[in-house]
């Protein structure tokens, strides 16, 4: 399968009152057509910055460098007008919560408004037909009822599915989800994971999901990257990384899962204000913290097909 999105050596620095913030220090990844790619890491590691860079939201007050190829074109060199067209028609951002629904609009109106703004479908009948088809795809047993319902007339799980139907209604080539389960209670999270599971099988969907919730990437993603302090520390197929985590940080994330006893990662996340060539994880690393000398992160070590780790303690 060909690459839909290819990000190469992406670096972003912000400027704050405390100084320069090294939010991304050079990350590279590919998303193939039909692939769901997850980026997992704790708060402040640079996940939202990746989404913003791909969506073109990094303002002029930040430095951005590297390359972001979408369907072969480098977004960082495209003209504003071309970018706007591309973002409107080809990419969609999945809202974090069902609060994004307008309580005064029916689900049908939500879908039709989005279709009007982001597709070529016109005419009341065509719009309604598309909306009903879509609600059917998202497993609503009575699409006509949902079409004319207001959010307050539906359950939380149904609204969650409606939000997803609205996001996917224009068949965007790439859907970006920034912490899609952050504001969901357990029931809604299950509903999200179930819908994602079905989408994976049913449609040719490409998605970038960034999250601090390992359960999401474990259940939903094909490929994953583990990010720490603006750098990837481990990447690979989700199954390989989850079954054979090699970087101490990835291991600590897996140990923090409820099914593994919820042992949180010891210590604090580093400050993004420093940019040194040592391993940022060293103060929290069971191997590194015993050492007096600084561990310099090596270039990636390949431990299997598509499985890469950035750690001195891992041999290829
Ligand atoms: N607009 C901004 N100005 C200054 N610093 C920022 C800005 N946005 C994010 N940061 C900083 O960049 C780093 C990465 O942030 P972010 O991408 O939001 O991480 P995450 O989504 O993983 O929590 C953090 O240190 C954060 O404080
Ligand atoms: S490079 Fe060294 S300090 Fe960093 S995670 Fe690996 S073993 Fe630990
Ligand atoms: Mg974030």
């Amino acid at each position: 399968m060909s690459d839909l999105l290819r990000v190469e050596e992406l670096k972003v620095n912000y400027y704050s009152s405390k100084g320069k913030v090294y939010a991304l220090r050079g990350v590279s990844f590919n998303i193939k057509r039909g692939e769901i790619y997850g980026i997992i890491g704790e708060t402040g590691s640079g996940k939202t910055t990746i989404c913003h860079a791909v969506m073109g939201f990094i303002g002029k007050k930040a430095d951005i460098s590297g390359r972001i190829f979408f369907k072969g074109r480098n977004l960082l060199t495209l003209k504003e007008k071309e970018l706007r067209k591309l973002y409107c028609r080809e990419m969609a951002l999945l809202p974090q919560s069902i609060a994004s629904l307008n309580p005064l609009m029916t689900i049908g109106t939500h879908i039709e408004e989005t279709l009007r703004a982001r597709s070529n479908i016109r005419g009341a009948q065509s719009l309604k037909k598309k909306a009903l088809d879509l609600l059917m795809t998202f497993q609503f047993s009575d699409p006509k009822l949902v079409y004319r319902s207001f959010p307050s007339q539906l359950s939380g799980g149904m609204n969650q599915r409606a939000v997803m139907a609205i996001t996917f209604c224009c068949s965007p080539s790439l859907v970006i989800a920034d912490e899609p389960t952050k504001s969901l209670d357990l029931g809604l999270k299950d509903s999200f994971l179930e819908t994602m599971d079905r989408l994976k099988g049913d449609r040719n969907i490409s998605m970038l999901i960034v999250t601090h919730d390992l359960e999401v990437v474990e259940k939903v993603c094909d490929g994953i990257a583990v990010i720490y302090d603006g750098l990837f520390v481990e990447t690979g197929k989700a199954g390989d990384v989850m079954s054979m985590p090699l970087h101490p940080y990835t291991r600590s994330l897996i140990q923090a899962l409820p099914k593994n006893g919820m042992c949180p990662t010891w210590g604090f996340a580093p400050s993004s204000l420093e940019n040194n060539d040592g391993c940022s994880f060293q103060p929290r690393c069971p191997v590194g913290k015993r050492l007096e000398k600084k561990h310099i992160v090596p270039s990636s070590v390949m431990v299997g097909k598509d499985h890469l780790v950035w750690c001195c303690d891992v041999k290829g």
Side-chain angles (χ1 to χ4, degrees), residues 247-248 279 281-282 285 287-288 295 311-313:
H247 193 281
C279 170
F281 193 63
Q282 186 161 358
C285 171
V287 178
H295 253 189
C311 171
C312 320
D313 205 39

